[in-house]
Amino acid sequence: AGMTSQLLNWYEEGTWTPSLGGTATYGAGSYGRYTRTGRLVTIQFRIDVTLLGTGSNTILSGLPFTSSTVGIQTVSCSYYANLAVNTIYLAGYVDGGSTNMYFLGKSVLGTTVDNNIALFGNGTVLVGTASYIV
């Protein structure tokens, strides 16, 4: 079959700005990129927090599209440095019906992760990716 608009009704690439809100300031290494194909959005991000100020220590916001309200969609963290908490495991999720990411982790061995950990502080660097449905 040939290509038609019915096969691919939305394709877009672009940038977005990861943010902790408030008076947080960021280093030059911060970036956000996305690719949207239909309802699927894949994002890559790096946030370099210079000073947290009144920014959130738990919520990364500013995703390029509002997530579907169906299910929780996982964020993978590929690198981090200078977190405000000790961790042996770190992951995240895109909250349904929002443009926010929350993080979960574990600081010691255990059976259940801790939700919404306060990981951002002065000097925190976090790099990750996620795919979510809009």
Side-chain angles (χ1 to χ4, degrees):
M3 292 294 292
T4 70
S5 62
Q6 294 171 344
L7 296 177
L8 184 60
N9 62 358
W10 189 313
Y11 181 85
E12 180 180 340
E13 295 179 350
T15 60
W16 62 284
T17 303
S19 173
L20 302 176
T23 60
T25 59
Y26 312 98
S30 294
Y31 67 84
R33 292 189 286 265
Y34 71 86
T35 302
R36 178 175 174 175
T37 306
R39 294 184 56 216
L40 179 66
V41 177
T42 301
I43 59 170
Q44 299 86 37
F45 66 91
R46 177 181 171 128
I47 189 163
D48 289 342
V49 182
T50 304
L51 294 172
L52 183 61
T54 61
S56 174
N57 60 4
T58 59
I59 303 170
L60 191 151
S61 60
L63 275 64
F65 299 94
T66 300
S67 172
S68 165
T69 57
V70 178
I72 293 176
Q73 301 168 82
T74 303
V75 175
S76 172
C77 302
S78 59
Y79 175 82
Y80 56 84
N82 303 314
L83 297 181
V85 294
N86 292 327
T87 185
I88 59 173
Y89 171 77
L90 180 65
Y93 60 93
V94 176
D95 194 29
S98 80
T99 58
N100 296 330
M101 259 188 252
Y102 295 84
F103 295 89
L104 42 97
K106 201 70 184 158
S107 60
V108 296
L109 291 177
T111 58
T112 305
V113 295
D114 300 316
N115 285 316
N116 301 331
I117 60 174
L119 65 101
F120 295 107
N122 297 339
T124 297
V125 176
L126 182 63
V127 179
T129 187
S131 292
Y132 65 98
I133 302 298
V134 297

